[in-house]
């Protein structure tokens, strides 16, 4: 089967943009057509100043929302990045293949570094190198497809470049992945600033619909959405970005086409009301399922534990092969046990002896 990998970074509460642009497709399409892995990429949340307790809380919330969106652990693998060591093992090897110039050309690095400097903060080295870790996330699993929003395609291109370069230098080791994205609402924009995406790390709350917002909050945010000059309802992303954003959200929620929907409205008021109603209905079952899952935390812990074990089993052969290919001396089985500590080594030795008897 085609293998699909994608992830969610726990840097803020998940939004309508996350759901319409990625999560819904994962649940309704990707987990059924492919061998799919979906990851909470918590290591990526450490590239900027953060509150450790908040990262843990948001990681748990994101995992819960992934399950609430319809991901089935029997059909796909749901896990936390930091629970699988192969991600960081492979990341360093890929840093030895990537170049400084490639890292500094990444658009998100430029934007985030400039933002940190404006705030008077220092830029962490991990902010520069995290695209390599993202490439490791993808390549460790022999990924064929990476479903991402338009703003993430550059990272997938880097993963492709690193895979090709590694294969050419050290022998064929990695599958070369490709990015895929939905045709409608691949990038939901901020309701108050339609030139910016609806990002979970954004500070402008009134322009962001969070997945756990109450219905009346959702309605208020949509009804206050920025529109454009002129009274005619037309779909034109270039000259009417605010209006286009509402039409794309409505289309994504109802299954219509933005241009066709535009012809159904004579004014902005009715369009905003219908869009608010559609968003509330789309999020209703997700919010209900989220409440149910929160009442059973042991279930989530079990899903993440089993998901990490499954992911580790998928990634380890590829990462071990990359270590051999690049020239590193393989560790013996006895050495592996010693690295795990004397208690584990003795326990496993006893188990082998018991089996022999």
């Amino acid at each position: 089967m085609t293998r699909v990998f994608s992830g969610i970074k726990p840097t803020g509460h998940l939004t309508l943009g996350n759901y319409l642009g990625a999560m819904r497709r994962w649940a309704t399409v990707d987990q059924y057509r492919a061998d799919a892995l979906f990851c909470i990429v918590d290591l990526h949340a450490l590239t900027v100043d953060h509150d450790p307790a908040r990262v843990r809380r948001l990681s748990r919330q994101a995992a819960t929302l992934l399950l609430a969106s319809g991901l089935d652990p029997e059909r796909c693998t749901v896990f936390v990045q930091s629970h699988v060591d192969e991600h960081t093992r492979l990341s360093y090897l890929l840093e030895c293949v990537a170049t400084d110039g490639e890292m500094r050309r990444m658009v998100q690095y430029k934007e985030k570094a400039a933002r940190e400097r404006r705030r008077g903060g220092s830029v962490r080295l991990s902010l520069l190198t995290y695209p390599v870790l993202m490439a490791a996330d993808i390549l460790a699993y022999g990924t064929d497809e990476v479903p991402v929003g338009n703003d993430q395609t550059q990272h997938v291109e880097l993963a492709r470049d690193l895979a090709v370069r590694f294969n050419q230098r050290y022998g064929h080791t990695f599958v070369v992945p490709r990015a895929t994205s939905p045709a409608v609402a691949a990038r939901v924009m901020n309701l108050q600033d339609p030139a910016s995406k609806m990002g979970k790390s954004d500070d402008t709350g009134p322009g962001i619909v969070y997945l756990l917002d109450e219905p009346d909050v959702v309605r208020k945010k949509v009804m206050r959405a920025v529109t454009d000059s002129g009274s005619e309802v037309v779909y034109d992303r270039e000259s009417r970005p605010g209006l286009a954003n509402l039409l794309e959200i409505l289309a994504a929620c109802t299954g219509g086409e933005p241009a066709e929907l535009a012809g159904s409205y004579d004014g902005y008021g009715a369009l905003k009301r219908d869009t608010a109603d559609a968003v509330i209905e789309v999020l209703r079952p997700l919010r209900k399922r989220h409440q149910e899952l929160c009442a059973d935390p042991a279930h989530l812990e079990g899903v993440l534990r089993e998901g990490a074990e499954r992911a580790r089993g998928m990634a380890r052969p590829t990462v071990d092969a990359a270590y051999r290919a690049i020239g590193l001396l393989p560790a013996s089985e006895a050495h592996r046990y010693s690295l795990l500590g004397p208690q584990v080594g003795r326990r496993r030795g006893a188990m082998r002896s018991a089996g022999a008897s």
Side-chain angles (χ1 to χ4, degrees):
M1 294 179 67
T2 297
R3 181 160 288 175
V4 169
F5 177 95
S6 200
I8 286 284
K9 184 164 56 175
T11 51
H13 298 288
L14 298 185
T15 73
L16 180 67
N18 297 126
Y19 182 68
L20 295 182
M23 293 165 60
R24 186 174 63 172
R25 174 178 169 171
W26 299 349
T28 59
V29 178
D30 291 328
Q31 70 170 336
Y32 293 99
R33 70 175 181 86
D35 182 9
L37 299 100
F38 302 107
C39 182
I40 311 302
V41 287
D42 54 343
L43 294 174
H44 293 298
L46 311 185
T47 59
V48 295
D49 189 31
H50 63 277
D51 174 7
R54 186 171 187 266
V55 171
R56 285 191 291 269
R57 185 170 63 252
L58 289 175
S59 296
R60 189 175 294 109
Q61 183 185 89
T64 306
L65 284 169
L66 287 181
L67 298 182
S69 72
L71 291 185
D72 181 355
E74 298 298 321
R75 292 185 175 274
C76 64
T77 303
V78 180
F79 67 106
V80 176
Q81 178 190 34
S82 62
H83 295 177
V84 181
D85 293 344
E86 277 64 30
H87 291 253
T88 50
R89 288 182 61 208
L90 180 56
S91 182
Y92 180 73
L93 297 195
L94 296 180
E95 285 187 12
C96 297
V97 177
T99 68
D100 176 76
E102 285 176 315
M103 297 300 97
R104 296 189 185 280
R105 286 194 295 271
M106 301 301 286
V107 173
Q108 289 205 13
Y109 168 72
K110 294 178 181 179
E111 293 176 349
K112 292 180 179 180
R115 191 180 307 136
E116 283 297 311
R117 293 188 183 102
R118 286 195 300 270
R119 292 173 177 172
S122 57
V123 179
R124 301 185 182 194
L125 178 61
S126 56
L127 186 62
L128 178 66
T129 60
Y130 91 89
V132 178
L133 176 57
M134 186 178 294
D137 298 338
I138 296 166
L139 299 181
Y141 296 98
T143 303
D144 299 295
E145 297 180 7
V146 188
V148 293
N150 296 334
D151 60 321
Q152 293 291 333
T153 55
Q154 188 184 31
H155 291 106
V156 181
E157 287 303 314
L158 176 68
R160 289 174 56 85
D161 291 343
L162 295 181
V164 170
R165 193 177 305 155
F166 192 102
N167 290 346
Q168 290 175 342
R169 290 181 182 177
Y170 306 114
H172 185 77
T173 305
F174 298 116
V175 173
V176 180
R178 61 183 180 276
T180 59
S181 60
V184 176
R187 195 177 190 193
V188 178
M189 312 306 284
N190 191 300
L191 295 175
Q192 293 297 315
D193 180 13
S196 303
K197 74 170 186 176
M198 188 180 285
K200 58 183 177 297
S201 304
D202 203 325
D203 295 328
T204 55
I208 304 171
V209 175
Y210 297 105
L211 296 185
L212 298 180
D213 277 345
E214 294 290 339
D216 59 334
V217 174
V218 173
R219 188 176 304 280
K220 183 181 295 184
K221 290 180 177 180
V222 174
M223 294 304 295
R224 293 180 178 177
V226 169
T227 50
D228 315 287
S229 59
S231 59
E232 185 181 6
V233 179
V234 295
Y235 178 65
D236 186 336
R237 179 171 274 282
E238 294 301 320
S239 62
R240 309 285 290 280
L243 188 56
N245 190 36
L246 288 172
L247 288 167
E248 288 194 353
I249 292 172
L250 179 60
C253 290
T254 62
E257 292 291 333
E260 294 179 4
L261 289 170
S264 304
Y265 295 95
D266 297 324
Y268 297 154
L271 171 61
K272 288 183 175 181
R273 285 192 294 272
D274 286 355
T275 302
D277 288 342
V279 170
I280 290 168
E281 287 306 309
V282 161
L283 297 184
R284 190 184 304 279
L286 181 146
R287 295 179 69 253
K288 181 176 184 295
R289 179 57 179 153
H290 176 265
Q291 290 178 336
E292 295 170 350
L293 289 167
C294 286
D296 185 11
H299 174 70
L300 176 66
E301 292 173 6
V303 167
L304 296 180
R305 182 174 57 253
E306 293 174 9
E309 292 173 358
R310 193 184 311 161
R312 195 177 301 116
M314 294 181 193
R316 183 165 293 170
T318 298
V319 177
D320 284 349
Y323 267 60
R324 291 192 298 270
I326 206 170
L328 299 178
L329 189 66
S332 67
E333 183 179 9
H335 181 57
R336 286 181 184 273
Y337 287 163
S338 70
L339 291 177
L340 294 173
Q343 296 299 326
V344 175
R346 285 197 294 270
R347 185 164 61 250
R348 292 189 175 183
M351 290 172 63
R352 287 199 299 272
S353 299
S357 62

